[in-house]
Amino acid sequence: MSFWTRHHIFEKNSIVLILGILIVIAIGGLVEITPLFYLKSTIEVVDGIRPYTPLELAGRNIYVREGCYLCHSQMIRPLRDEVERYGHFSLAAESMYDHPFQWGSKRTGPDLARVGGKYSDDWHVRHLTNPRSIVPQSVMPGYSFLGNNEVDTSLTADNLHTLRAVGVPYSDDQIANAAADLKTQVDPDSADGDAFAKRYPKAVVRNFDGKGGAPTEMDALIAYLQMLGTLVDFKLYNEKAYLR
């Protein structure tokens, strides 16, 4: 029997075929699983990544509640056309505090992984209020009601506490001041600004919806969108990657 005809053994004997399949699957499984026992984490350590502020987290919850992930992805693949259009490809570390992650599977609208800082707060208010005032051909529904709804802060601390239970490193201090920090982030003149900055380094503090008063859901959603893709300095990240 020649080498090239030995596959007939598998084709004519189902038991041998099943054993062969099991052996191949076992080898493949070991190759994929074994390295995980020697790694402390499968997520790279990247400078700048931090947990969401209470306001950003509230905005993210609104993003999920309104089903934004159904039309907008948050995952830039390492392909030339993706990177040229949206920016640096997404890192696993950028989603490490997402429960659940917002990678998405469809792009009716553009990817939002790098939308932070791309447009002004006023642009976001106008776009969320009436998308067709910005993009005439848009099929996105309007969310003007967000500007009239105050953020419910009664469960903010519980939200942070629950996320800590699944691995997000919120401290006791952050949880205790969650509701106050949510309000502080929309008030640049707040006396608690310095304490907030220590708890959430480099978090942006400003009136996102342009209106005074208590934080609205519009404030929260815009704060979340304006943060996306801004935590990592990709110039430094590229340099570190090159030096390694």
Side-chain angles (χ1 to χ4, degrees):
M1 181 182 296
S2 69
F3 176 81
W4 300 109
T5 58
R6 290 181 180 176
H7 64 276
H8 290 168
I9 298 174
F10 295 97
E11 294 178 354
K12 295 179 180 180
N13 192 320
S14 60
I15 294 178
V16 175
L17 178 61
I18 291 173
L19 289 174
I21 292 173
L22 292 175
I23 291 172
V24 171
I25 292 175
I27 294 173
L30 287 172
V31 170
E32 291 185 350
I33 296 173
T34 301
L36 298 179
F37 290 99
Y38 299 95
L39 296 175
K40 293 183 179 179
S41 174
T42 57
I43 300 177
E44 72 274 35
V45 177
V46 180
D47 293 337
I49 298 298
R50 59 163 173 78
Y52 295 112
T53 68
L55 184 68
E56 293 164 356
L57 184 60
R60 184 182 183 280
N61 291 339
I62 294 166
Y63 181 95
V64 174
R65 183 193 74 192
E66 300 301 330
C68 302
Y69 60 89
L70 296 172
C71 294
H72 294 281
S73 61
Q74 287 187 36
M75 184 181 68
I76 303 170
R77 295 169 291 180
L79 303 173
R80 180 176 179 179
D81 60 332
E82 293 261 314
V83 173
E84 287 186 351
R85 180 178 183 184
Y86 297 117
H88 195 285
F89 60 83
S90 295
L91 306 178
E94 293 181 277
S95 300
M96 66 188 300
Y97 299 136
D98 280 349
H99 298 278
F101 60 78
Q102 297 299 301
W103 296 343
S105 59
K106 189 175 186 295
R107 287 177 182 165
T108 300
D111 186 275
L112 300 180
R114 302 278 174 262
V115 75
K118 188 175 183 180
Y119 306 104
S120 67
D121 294 340
D122 181 62
W123 185 97
H124 281 291
V125 171
R126 293 174 57 197
H127 183 245
L128 289 167
T129 301
N130 179 14
R132 275 149 298 285
S133 68
I134 303 293
V135 184
Q137 67 272 27
S138 175
V139 298
M140 174 178 161
Y143 296 93
S144 58
F145 62 89
L146 296 178
N148 300 320
N149 295 344
E150 291 186 10
V151 177
D152 182 3
T153 61
S154 62
L155 297 177
T156 301
D158 291 336
N159 199 349
L160 268 64
H161 192 271
T162 299
L163 287 172
R164 184 167 71 173
V166 294
V168 181
Y170 284 116
S171 66
D172 291 338
D173 185 41
Q174 288 174 319
I175 293 174
N177 291 280
D181 284 343
L182 189 150
K183 297 176 182 178
T184 296
Q185 193 170 358
V186 298
D187 183 6
D189 299 321
S190 173
D192 298 323
D194 291 340
F196 172 82
K198 290 180 180 179
R199 284 189 282 271
Y200 301 96
K202 298 183 179 179
V204 175
V205 177
R206 63 173 180 254
N207 188 341
F208 293 92
D209 70 355
K211 299 189 300 184
T216 64
E217 292 188 338
M218 184 72 77
D219 277 312
L221 182 54
I222 294 175
Y224 170 66
L225 293 174
Q226 292 287 41
M227 179 277 305
L228 292 177
T230 65
L231 299 182
V232 180
D233 186 336
F234 283 103
K235 292 182 179 179
L236 295 177
Y237 176 81
N238 287 334
E239 291 175 2
K240 290 180 180 178
Y242 176 78
L243 291 174
R244 290 175 186 174

